[in-house]
Amino acid sequence: MLRAESIPRTRIYMHRPHRIPPSSIHRRLLRTLAAALIVIPTGIEAQQGPLDGLAAYVEQGMRDWNVPGLALAVVKDDSVVFARGFGTRTLGRDEPVDEHTSFAIASTTKAFTAMALAMLVDEGKVHWDDPVSMHVPAFQLADPGLSGQLTVRDLLTHRTGLPNSDFLWYASGSSTDEILRRMRFLRPFATPRSRYQYNNNAYMVAGQVVQSASGMPWSEFVRTRILQPLGMRETLTGFVGLDARGNVATPHLEVDGAVRPIPYLSFDNIGPAGSMNSSVSDVARWIRFQLAGGEWGGERLVSVAQHREMLAPQFVIPQALYYPAARLADPSFTAYGLGWFMQDYRGRKLAMHTGSIDGMTALVALVPEERLGLVVFINLDHAELRHALMYRIIDGYLGGPARDWSAELRPLYQGMEERFRAATRESESRRVRGTRPSLPLSAYAGTYADPDSLAGDVEVRMENGRLAARVAGGAITGQMEHWHYDVFRVRWSQVSMGTSFITFTIDPEGRVAWARAEGREFSRVPQASPVATQ
């Protein structure tokens, strides 16, 4: 278990050796040696200047936002000027977070996927505007013409015209290949390049492009071409191997007004969109590499042209669909690059991306003109303290009047939460009391299949005299309670899934024919008798 100590220690990481021509041996040797001796002190904390009072600000913010644990690193002019952890890895335990604690980095993984493709563009193996089907023939949509229109650039900029379809991967038990197969049943909601719609599955497909063009899986390409050269030894491309590490943050979720630990889930089936795990110490290296324009230790890993392309606005995002926190920053533009959200802030270009996955929150930001970057990891679901810290740190370097971003953002997000709670109360008020199901409970038991082959099956069972639902091949279960008429509410065992409603339709012969859940219709599969357990 690695922990920060009162007296900073140093670690020396060896850079990956390169073969060099004899004619340039002396010049290249000096650069290689400079890269080899990368000294990383632990527990770095600036005591004055732009970051003056930052640690106290973080600690107060954690109290205000009920955050169990947080790690933060700041890079300025190719130096890590702040790197430390706060709070605990697991609520109720003496497990201090430090700068080497592993967190899920969630959707900040997308920038690594874009970088992998940029490297392949440099090699001429991929072009940004290649049709996706050129590299991944299995990528087929309901409209064959649309399959041929979508490009690699479209995948990375959320402009495919395909709907949000996280149900294909989240808690589905489906493999990457199965998700890819099911995407052919998606019905576009817009023509390509006409509307913005964030889409995790598109990045999964982008990872398939990496595999096709390079001959190695996305995870191996990222590990060998990015993580190893940068010396990111604390970073995993997925969840395999995470349990062997002792210094790992536990996810937390607010349930019924109280923050509590929840299980760490694997999302490796959607890997290129958000499966990576890392520490702020490691991601500080990634930030230094980005701020250096794609160079590391004197070696160029990606061309200047492709690095600029990644950080260039590619598709405009309406501000109504952008981060709520940006309303207080008043940007002139909001857009998406290649793996990065883009906006301006106080006259500078800001490239950033958040990550949000069950019980974990992340944010990585770059201000290239100032050679400034930062990373925030939090072990609490959708902890928007991350935005407050980003703007607070940038303001510290740009100067000007101090602004309490945490205090300003809390009412914004509390208002959003209150509107959600009000909608829940309104739903409760429409419940018709005193009604009964049309049929005995056992009549609702059975398997219900999605006719479009998208969402998989929903199994309804009788368990100890009550109905229970099972999805994802039985991996996710939920207890069903009668709501009114033929509507039941499901409380899922995976607490992050909250509750859902299932509405059953009775046919003219008095039998259950359909079930509607999450906006989708499921037809009942004929069977000899209902499944029951004692």
Side-chain angles (χ1 to χ4, degrees):
M1 184 180 296
L2 300 175
R3 295 182 178 176
E5 299 187 14
S6 56
I7 301 177
R9 296 175 296 166
T10 62
R11 296 181 178 86
I12 299 178
Y13 293 150
M14 294 302 297
H15 192 67
R16 185 180 69 171
H18 299 272
R19 293 184 179 180
I20 50 180
S23 59
S24 59
I25 184 71
H26 295 98
R27 174 171 52 85
R28 298 285 296 280
L29 179 60
L30 289 175
R31 292 199 316 212
T32 302
L33 287 174
L37 299 174
I38 299 172
V39 181
I40 304 178
T42 63
I44 303 168
E45 182 175 343
Q47 299 299 322
Q48 57 186 352
L51 302 183
D52 184 34
L54 179 59
Y57 190 81
V58 171
E59 291 166 347
Q60 182 60 53
M62 291 176 66
R63 289 190 290 270
D64 293 339
W65 294 80
N66 296 319
V67 169
L70 180 152
L72 170 65
V74 181
V75 173
K76 182 71 171 79
D77 298 328
D78 197 37
S79 295
V80 180
V81 295
F82 189 102
R84 61 163 287 190
F86 300 83
T88 181
R89 302 197 304 270
T90 306
L91 199 61
R93 298 183 183 178
D94 182 19
E95 299 175 349
V97 174
D98 61 33
E99 67 272 27
H100 301 289
T101 300
S102 290
F103 289 78
I105 77 170
S107 284
T108 62
T109 298
K110 290 179 171 68
F112 288 85
T113 299
M115 177 60 71
L117 284 165
M119 292 174 170
L120 292 168
V121 170
D122 275 339
E123 296 171 9
K125 296 179 179 178
V126 175
H127 296 89
W128 296 118
D129 298 310
D130 282 347
V132 177
S133 56
M134 175 189 298
H135 299 282
V136 188
F139 177 70
Q140 297 294 325
L141 300 176
D143 180 349
L146 183 60
S147 303
Q149 289 182 42
L150 291 181
T151 68
V152 174
R153 192 188 302 270
D154 294 333
L155 295 177
L156 299 183
T157 54
H158 305 294
R159 62 185 196 185
T160 62
L162 296 175
N164 186 330
S165 47
D166 286 346
F167 61 86
L168 289 178
W169 60 269
Y170 180 83
S172 70
S174 296
S175 66
T176 298
D177 288 342
E178 178 62 13
I179 296 168
L180 185 63
R181 186 191 70 81
R182 289 186 178 184
M183 286 184 71
R184 71 186 61 198
F185 302 111
L186 290 172
R187 298 171 183 172
F189 76 99
T191 56
R193 297 175 284 284
S194 66
R195 296 271 298 277
Y196 169 81
Q197 174 60 63
Y198 194 84
N199 196 304
N200 286 303
N201 288 311
Y203 267 79
M204 179 274 291
V205 178
Q208 296 292 297
V209 175
V210 172
Q211 178 169 327
S212 174
S214 69
M216 63 179 78
W218 166 84
S219 58
E220 183 180 347
F221 188 95
V222 170
R223 184 171 58 252
T224 59
R225 295 290 299 276
I226 301 175
L227 303 182
Q228 289 179 4
L230 299 186
M232 296 177 66
R233 292 167 172 80
E234 296 173 353
T235 302
L236 297 173
T237 57
F239 289 76
V240 175
L242 190 65
D243 56 355
R245 300 190 172 192
N247 191 0
V248 179
T250 299
H252 293 76
L253 183 70
E254 186 172 327
V255 181
D256 297 328
V259 174
R260 54 181 270 193
I262 62 173
Y264 214 122
L265 298 182
S266 169
F267 298 103
D268 288 358
N269 60 348
I270 199 76
S275 69
M276 293 177 67
N277 293 269
S278 190
S279 65
V280 298
S281 177
D282 253 21
V283 175
R285 291 169 171 264
W286 168 245
I287 292 172
R288 289 172 58 205
F289 166 65
Q290 292 285 350
L291 295 176
E295 283 194 9
W296 183 259
E299 298 293 331
R300 178 156 292 285
L301 303 185
V302 67
S303 69
V304 172
Q306 299 313 324
H307 188 265
R308 286 176 178 169
E309 189 72 9
M310 283 184 285
L311 296 181
Q314 303 284 331
F315 197 65
V316 173
I317 302 175
Q319 292 201 14
L321 301 179
Y322 200 67
Y323 293 102
R327 300 171 195 170
L328 303 184
D330 193 27
S332 298
F333 79 91
T334 51
Y336 203 85
L338 299 175
W340 296 92
F341 284 97
M342 312 295 301
Q343 68 178 81
D344 61 299
Y345 178 63
R346 296 182 59 182
R348 278 76 166 179
K349 181 171 72 173
L350 171 60
M352 54 83 68
H353 212 295
T354 57
S356 302
I357 214 157
D358 288 18
M360 291 282 190
T361 299
L363 184 148
V364 179
L366 309 171
V367 188
E369 295 165 80
E370 299 295 325
R371 300 187 68 197
L372 173 66
L374 63 104
V375 52
V376 184
F377 291 153
I378 302 175
N379 61 348
L380 177 66
D381 200 87
H382 281 84
E384 303 308 340
L385 174 61
R386 56 185 169 180
H387 291 281
L389 295 178
M390 177 183 73
Y391 288 118
R392 161 68 169 77
I393 290 165
I394 296 173
D395 281 348
Y397 281 96
L398 297 186
R403 188 171 175 181
D404 189 346
W405 283 95
S406 179
E408 290 187 50
L409 286 173
R410 283 183 64 217
L412 173 67
Y413 284 98
Q414 286 172 341
M416 295 170 61
E417 292 172 3
E418 178 52 38
R419 287 191 290 275
F420 174 79
R421 287 192 291 267
T424 302
R425 290 193 296 269
E426 175 65 20
S427 175
E428 292 272 359
S429 71
R430 292 195 297 268
R431 184 178 187 179
V432 182
R433 304 284 180 174
T435 65
R436 297 173 60 86
S438 301
L439 302 171
L441 292 183
S442 59
Y444 298 88
T447 299
Y448 298 81
D450 179 1
D452 292 331
S453 302
L454 274 169
D457 295 345
V458 176
E459 186 182 0
V460 177
R461 302 163 60 98
M462 282 293 295
E463 295 181 353
N464 301 317
R466 300 182 60 184
L467 290 176
R470 298 162 62 90
V471 297
I476 303 295
T477 63
Q479 292 298 313
M480 299 174 62
E481 59 177 330
H482 180 247
W483 185 252
H484 59 208
Y485 302 115
D486 291 313
V487 180
F488 293 77
R489 180 168 64 181
V490 185
R491 295 185 181 275
W492 297 106
S493 57
Q494 179 60 34
V495 293
S496 59
M497 293 177 64
T499 60
S500 301
F501 288 92
I502 299 180
T503 302
F504 294 95
T505 300
I506 312 300
D507 68 16
E509 297 180 2
R511 296 175 300 192
V512 180
W514 293 84
R516 181 176 179 82
E518 300 294 333
R520 301 198 65 81
E521 298 280 356
F522 298 80
S523 62
R524 185 171 186 174
V525 178
Q527 56 185 26
S529 59
V531 178
T533 60
Q534 299 299 319

